[in-house]
Amino acid sequence: MKIKVINPNTTASMTATIAAAARAVAAPGTEIVPVTSRSGAVSIEGHYDEAMSIVGLVDALNEDPVADAYVIACFGDPGLLAAREIAEGPVLGIAEAAMHAASFVATGFSVVTTLERTRIIAEHLVRNYGMEHHCRRVRATDIPVLELERPESNSRKLILEECERAITEDGSGAIVLGCAGMADLNAWLEDKLGVPVIDGVTAAVKFAEALVSLGLRTSKRGDLAYPLHKPYKGALAAYAPPDRNPAPKRKLG
Ligand code: 2AL
């Protein structure tokens, strides 16, 4: 099967980290197709960055090859439900995947993410996903996303220290890594911490494989039906949804 793993930020080196993590866990028959967004921010660290990333995400979803499943490799899960509207195969966000995986292996987890403002966004996701009973705390390290890319930065040490505080102060039994740029850290951290450390990229790839193996596709009933066909104006005119939904049954009498 083919799983398209989309980095919605425009930094190709981060996509390489994401692709390596995805390929390391993929089953022998799974082809990982990594894609870097062609438009938008170099790193996604706020609501505006997220909103602006969605056009690039839609381009990446629509361009060939068509895949059996899709992973949105950014911890804010930007555009997740919009992506589900246009895709037929399952679409997984890495935050959603990581939180669900953590809830299977511990009764309480902490998320360790990048900036304070992304910490707040991750808290919104915890509530959106109904994870309040499982997530003990979301912690920021104040590391900008692109600092994770610089080997000379002390980001690894800061992340390790925050994870240690999560275990001792929050009483958490597992750690969720709150950025796709941390996808190369989970084995190293797990070794140091002795608790499960979940990176959403790898969790999402394995859940995607499971869903495809089960023959599950995104529901096209209700709000995840294809977007309604209508004109779009201005810079987004080319993104007007084509007519893909079956004609509605007319209620007579
Ligand atoms: C992210 C991420 O995963 N990629 C990116 O550019 N920003 N999210 C985050 N919380 O730092």
Side-chain angles (χ1 to χ4, degrees):
M1 74 178 76
K2 235 186 254 298
I3 302 178
K4 200 183 269 189
V5 180
I6 302 166
N7 175 13
N9 80 36
T10 48
T11 299
S13 51
M14 190 169 292
T15 313
T17 303
I18 291 165
R23 288 189 175 120
V25 297
T30 299
E31 183 191 348
I32 300 294
V33 182
V35 183
T36 308
S37 173
R38 276 182 278 109
S39 50
V42 293
S43 60
I44 298 172
E45 301 180 307
H47 299 293
Y48 185 82
D49 292 345
E50 284 193 6
M52 290 293 147
S53 75
I54 295 175
V55 167
L57 171 73
V58 167
D59 288 338
L61 281 159
N62 282 336
E63 73 195 15
D64 284 339
V66 174
D68 299 291
Y70 303 86
V71 172
I72 302 177
C74 173
F75 200 79
D77 294 352
L80 178 59
L81 292 177
R84 286 185 178 147
E85 282 187 34
I86 61 173
E88 286 168 22
V91 185
L92 285 98
I94 64 168
E96 185 188 39
M99 289 184 205
H100 282 86
S103 75
F104 296 147
V105 295
T107 55
F109 63 82
S110 296
V111 178
V112 173
T113 188
T114 52
L115 298 181
E116 170 61 16
R117 65 189 300 162
T118 48
R119 186 189 68 73
I120 299 166
I121 293 173
E123 281 184 346
H124 288 299
L125 292 181
V126 168
R127 286 192 287 275
N128 277 347
Y129 297 150
M131 282 284 157
E132 298 99 320
H133 290 302
H134 302 284
C135 180
R136 299 238 162 96
R137 187 164 162 184
V138 183
R139 290 173 166 269
T141 52
D142 277 326
I143 302 167
V145 169
L146 293 185
E147 277 294 293
L148 297 168
E149 296 269 288
R150 290 182 47 239
E152 66 275 23
S153 81
N154 65 344
S155 59
R156 273 181 176 239
K157 179 172 170 282
L158 294 176
I159 292 165
L160 175 62
E161 287 168 359
E162 201 60 41
C163 291
E164 284 167 343
R165 281 191 284 275
I167 294 166
T168 54
E169 294 172 19
D170 311 344
S172 283
I175 302 290
V176 163
L177 297 177
C179 182
M182 298 177 183
D184 55 347
L185 297 184
N186 59 326
W188 177 75
L189 284 169
E190 223 167 62
D191 193 47
K192 298 257 180 233
L193 297 167
V195 300
V197 176
I198 296 124
D199 148 56
V201 174
T202 47
V205 165
K206 297 312 283 182
F207 284 140
E209 284 180 343
L211 293 170
V212 172
S213 300
L214 289 167
L216 294 172
R217 298 160 76 78
T218 300
S219 172
K220 289 297 151 201
R221 286 288 287 271
D223 64 328
L224 296 183
Y226 296 115
L228 294 174
H229 177 52
K230 68 186 76 164
Y232 279 27
K233 293 187 178 174
L236 296 182
Y239 291 88
D243 195 3
R244 297 171 78 189
N245 286 309
K249 289 197 187 86
R250 299 184 74 183
K251 286 194 185 113
L252 298 174

